[in-house]
Amino acid sequence: MEFSTLLLGAVVVALVVWIIFGGKLKVSPKGIEVDTEGLLKYLREAEAQKGLAPEGNVTELEKVSAQVKAISQRLPVGTVLWIDDHPLNNQKEKMALAQLGLFADSYTTNAEALAALKTGDYDIVISDIGREADETGWDLLRDVHRLYPKVPFIFYTMNITDRARKEATDAGARGIVERPGELITLVVNNLRPRR
C-alpha cells in the first residue's frame, strides 16, 4: 500500500476520533502523534469507574502514557474485537483506545464474536472471563486460538488470581489484566502487524 493511501486513511481516522471523542491525534509524514492528555483522561475515568485507586506518587497511568507516547509512531490504525456481556462497563477504555487510532467493535456473546472474526479483519481480541450466559471467555479463547491463532487474545477482568494468570497464558492468551493502563499497554505491545 502506498504511503499516500496510508496517510489519507490515517487522516480520516484522526478526524473521526476528533469529531466523535474530542481526541487530538496529529498525522504527519512521521506517523500518528497521540494526545497523551486525552488518553490519560479516559484512563483515569476508567479507573475511577472501576473503583481503582492510583498507585504511588507517579500514577501507573502516567507511566503508561509515557510508554504509549514513546511507541505511538509505530502504532497501526487497527480494530479491536471486544466481547463482554456488559459492554457499557468498558466505554472509557474504548475511548482511550480510540485516542490511539484503535477502534473497538463490541459483542456480547461468543457466537457473535466468532461470526465477526470470520467476516472482519481484527487486530486483537479483548474478552471478559465470566458471563451471565452459559459460556465463558475461556471457551472463546479456545475457539479463537484454534481458528485464528495469529490474532492476539487478552483477558480484561477483575479479581485476577495467580492461577488464572497461569491458565490464561497456558491456554494461549497474551495476558490477563484488570487495570485500564495495563490493558492499553498490553494491547499496544501485542497488535498484530498489518503488513
Side-chain angles (χ1 to χ4, degrees):
M1 194 176 281
E2 289 184 24
F3 175 76
S4 60
T5 305
L6 288 173
L7 183 60
L8 179 60
V11 168
V12 170
V13 169
L15 287 173
V16 169
V17 169
W18 184 77
I19 291 167
I20 295 175
F21 298 110
K24 295 179 182 171
L25 291 176
K26 287 194 307 185
V27 180
S28 70
K30 294 183 211 171
I32 297 174
E33 297 174 26
V34 178
D35 168 20
T36 53
E37 284 307 308
L39 175 67
L40 273 173
K41 172 184 177 274
Y42 291 124
L43 291 178
R44 284 187 185 115
E45 289 173 0
E47 282 202 344
Q49 186 177 41
K50 291 182 174 17
L52 299 169
E55 299 174 334
N57 293 336
V58 178
T59 68
E60 189 64 30
L61 295 182
E62 289 166 339
K63 291 179 192 172
V64 167
S65 178
Q67 291 169 350
V68 167
K69 187 173 184 177
I71 63 171
S72 65
Q73 295 298 322
R74 70 172 175 83
L75 281 180
V77 173
T79 309
V80 176
L81 185 145
W82 196 315
I83 178 166
D84 191 316
D85 53 344
H86 299 286
L88 294 178
N89 292 348
N90 305 305
Q91 285 304 102
K92 299 299 182 183
E93 292 90 333
K94 291 172 189 167
M95 293 168 121
L97 288 171
Q99 292 288 314
L100 303 173
L102 304 171
F103 299 94
D105 290 340
S106 293
Y107 299 95
T108 58
T109 69
N110 290 355
E112 290 174 346
L114 290 170
L117 275 168
K118 186 176 183 178
T119 61
D121 184 22
Y122 291 95
D123 300 293
I124 200 158
V125 173
I126 300 171
S127 176
D128 61 347
I129 290 179
R131 309 254 168 74
E132 291 177 5
D134 290 333
E135 63 180 24
T136 68
W138 297 109
D139 300 327
L140 181 64
L141 171 60
R142 270 191 303 277
D143 289 339
V144 169
H145 192 62
R146 179 175 49 84
L147 298 169
Y148 307 98
K150 292 184 180 180
V151 178
F153 191 105
I154 295 171
F155 280 121
Y156 185 55
T157 190
M158 300 294 285
N159 305 317
I160 301 168
T161 65
D162 289 337
R163 180 179 176 194
R165 284 185 204 285
K166 181 173 179 356
E167 287 177 7
T169 53
D170 287 351
R174 298 291 175 91
I176 180 170
V177 294
E178 66 180 334
R179 299 190 73 92
E182 293 172 328
L183 175 69
I184 298 301
T185 302
L186 199 55
V187 167
V188 298
N189 285 322
N190 282 283
L191 281 177
R192 186 174 60 141
R194 283 214 165 221
R195 294 182 185 99

